[in-house]
């Protein structure tokens, strides 16, 4: 019974660690996507300003 309990606790701990790592990685990727989107919007704004000046 004690061995069974240790195995179950081990699986739970490993699952929690993997879940935390996965969540952290997901948020890091989302932050990078947001940063790229902000840079794209900034470049688009600058392009529109240049077009407006030319007209």
């Amino acid at each position: 019974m004690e061995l069974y309990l240790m195995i179950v606790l081990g699986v739970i701990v490993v699952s929690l660690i993997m879940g935390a790592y996965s969540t952290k990685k997901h948020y890091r990727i989302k932050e990078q996507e947001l940063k790229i989107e902000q840079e794209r919007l900034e470049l688009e704004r600058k392009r529109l300003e240049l077009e407006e000046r030319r007209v």
Side-chain angles (χ1 to χ4, degrees):
M1 184 68 178
E2 189 175 316
L3 178 60
Y4 176 74
L5 184 61
M6 294 301 287
I7 291 172
V8 169
L9 288 175
V11 168
I12 291 172
V13 168
V14 170
S15 296
L16 288 173
I17 291 170
M18 290 177 67
Y21 174 76
S22 176
T23 301
K24 182 179 177 182
K25 185 177 179 181
H26 173 76
Y27 281 113
R28 194 174 339 130
I29 290 171
K30 284 295 183 185
E31 285 178 347
Q32 288 175 348
E33 289 174 352
L34 286 173
K35 184 178 177 182
I36 290 169
E37 181 66 17
Q38 287 174 345
E39 290 173 359
R40 186 190 68 76
L41 290 172
E42 181 68 23
L43 289 172
E44 179 70 15
R45 185 184 64 78
K46 287 180 181 180
R47 184 186 66 79
L48 289 172
E49 285 177 355
L50 287 174
E51 281 184 6
E52 195 175 275
R53 288 180 190 164
R54 289 182 188 157
V55 173

